[in-house]
Amino acid sequence: MTSRKLTIKVPATSANIGPGFDVVGLSLSLTLTLTVSHTRFTSPPQSVDPPKISYSGEGAEEVPLDAYKNLTTRVALYVLRCNGRPHFPSDLAIHVHNEIPFGRGLGSSGAAVIAGVLLGDALGEFQLSTSRLLDFALMVERHPDNVTAALVGGFVGSYLRELSREATEAASVPLAEVLPEYPPDAGEAWGQDPPSPPEGIGHYVRFNWAPEIRAVAIIPQFELSTAKARDVLPLAYTRKDLVFNLQRLAVLTTALGQSPPDPDLIYEAMKDRVHQPYRKTLIPGLPEVLSSVTPSSHPGLLGICLSGAGPTILALATGGFEAIALSAKEVFKGAGVEVKWQVLTVESGGSSVVYDE
């Protein structure tokens, strides 16, 4: 038996970017890092002890360290079992260091899912294609924007394909069947036949990104669950509001790749009528921040929007970062909300797996 060491890095992400609800995502320079060591699989498979998991950084006090409860390792085991490996390899030890705040609209769950997919692929030495890795991720995270950006990096547009009836049913099985909750008395044989994803669930394209654009993340110090943020959205929209978003998204995907960026064009193109107006009740100060921080009042600003489901505000800018952040901070303070802020870059490389053998 031989041992292996590897490092997996997955970036944070911001989804929607104004009008691109459930369509576009952006990878950012906060990282989820897994440092992994294990013994290579032997044949026939042997019984193994549960993986040892340690965790530092954001969320360290709340993340489960049981491999059958931790999201990343549960996803890894799902990938392993779908590819003929019924259990984790021997002597598996994982240290996770996380820079991505939980529940803030910066893709923490998407990063955990992609880390799990890459971990399962690396442990099993499957060498799955990017498309196939995305299939596994989409069986867990049913919206493609965050996981696609986390996997491939950069500024990305994605969609779910219209599959055959059989494939649609396979891709729509309840999450409880994909990642079942393990009962206390579950043995090694429990849950070894999960539903495998069909081929080609999602497709994507990478847009250009002007290198001088940075992202100012203004992060309120409270969590907002994606489920809660989705619950406030209407089930139907007017044609006028849908056309409003489609017009702006068509412009935005090109405008953010042009150098030098045009602030007048981008600021208007980042407006939204599909999700931000309905989430203002969940984030005190949101409307005031979006309306008061503008290119005319803050030179260097290009556009401003809610990051994903929120509550983080994302300001895209070429300069004046501190002034933008401090103005937003002052507005939030007036609404009784404390914030932190960071200037982030766009990570064009996406996730990585590096072996140290």
Side-chain angles (χ1 to χ4, degrees):
M1 294 192 295
T2 58
S3 61
R4 286 202 314 168
K5 294 182 178 180
L6 59 115
T7 302
I8 297 171
K9 292 188 175 184
V10 184
T13 52
S14 178
N16 305 332
I17 318 300
F21 180 70
D22 277 2
V23 177
V24 296
L26 187 65
S27 62
L28 300 169
S29 55
L30 295 172
T31 306
L32 177 68
T33 302
L34 277 61
T35 304
V36 183
S37 64
H38 71 97
T39 298
R40 272 195 160 105
F41 279 105
T42 59
S43 185
Q46 299 176 351
S47 298
V48 293
D49 293 329
K52 296 181 176 64
I53 304 174
S54 57
Y55 205 101
S56 61
E58 294 281 348
E61 296 180 356
E62 53 188 296
V63 172
L65 301 182
D66 182 334
Y68 300 101
K69 295 181 180 178
N70 181 280
L71 177 58
T72 294
T73 46
R74 289 171 70 197
V75 172
L77 186 59
Y78 171 60
V79 173
L80 287 168
R81 287 181 166 174
C82 284
N83 288 279
R85 301 286 193 186
H87 55 68
F88 293 108
S90 303
D91 304 318
L92 176 59
I94 305 168
H95 177 71
V96 182
H97 181 70
N98 180 35
E99 298 176 348
I100 308 171
F102 285 4
R104 302 295 205 277
L106 289 169
S108 58
S109 64
V113 169
I114 291 298
V117 170
L118 295 175
L119 176 62
D121 181 52
L123 295 178
E125 302 182 58
F126 304 130
Q127 298 183 329
L128 299 175
S129 67
T130 299
S131 175
R132 194 60 181 149
L133 294 170
L134 184 59
D135 288 337
F136 280 100
L138 289 174
M139 289 293 284
V140 180
E141 189 95 351
R142 302 297 170 95
H143 304 285
D145 42 10
N146 282 114
V147 289
T148 305
L151 180 62
V152 304
F155 182 33
V156 184
S158 56
Y159 63 83
L160 299 177
R161 288 182 58 205
E162 292 186 340
L163 303 171
S164 68
R165 179 177 178 180
E166 181 181 357
T168 298
E169 291 177 355
S172 304
V173 297
L175 183 58
E177 295 181 26
V178 177
L179 298 183
E181 294 289 342
Y182 280 70
D185 59 348
E188 283 188 18
W190 195 88
Q192 286 194 10
D193 189 25
S196 187
E199 299 273 351
I201 299 174
H203 279 186
Y204 66 89
V205 63
R206 292 182 64 181
F207 304 115
N208 292 329
W209 185 264
E212 58 265 51
I213 301 177
R214 300 290 184 267
V216 184
I218 301 145
I219 310 169
Q221 295 306 288
F222 66 88
E223 292 188 24
L224 176 59
S225 74
T226 301
K228 185 175 181 180
R230 283 187 176 273
D231 283 345
V232 301
L233 301 182
L235 297 178
Y237 295 92
T238 66
R239 179 188 298 177
K240 182 178 180 181
D241 284 348
L242 291 179
V243 171
F244 180 95
N245 271 46
L246 289 170
Q247 289 173 334
R248 281 150 184 79
L249 182 60
V251 172
L252 186 66
T253 53
T254 296
L256 288 174
Q258 295 178 333
S259 187
D262 183 337
D264 292 331
L265 185 68
I266 294 171
Y267 181 78
E268 180 61 34
M270 282 179 64
K271 292 182 179 179
D272 161 78
R273 290 184 181 175
V274 168
H275 71 108
Q276 290 179 169
Y278 303 98
R279 288 169 168 168
K280 63 184 179 183
T281 59
L282 303 176
I283 308 168
L286 173 63
E288 292 79 8
V289 171
L290 294 180
S291 62
S292 65
V293 181
T294 69
S296 59
S297 64
H298 292 76
L301 179 73
L302 300 172
I304 189 165
C305 64
L306 193 61
S307 179
T312 294
I313 298 291
L314 201 73
L316 302 182
T318 56
F321 310 122
E322 184 174 9
I324 292 167
L326 292 180
S327 291
K329 183 176 181 178
E330 192 64 25
V331 173
F332 274 123
K333 185 177 179 180
V337 177
E338 292 297 321
V339 304
K340 295 182 180 179
W341 62 277
Q342 291 181 270
V343 180
L344 306 174
T345 57
V346 174
E347 293 295 293
S348 59
S351 297
S352 66
V353 182
V354 177
Y355 296 91
D356 180 16
E357 301 185 73

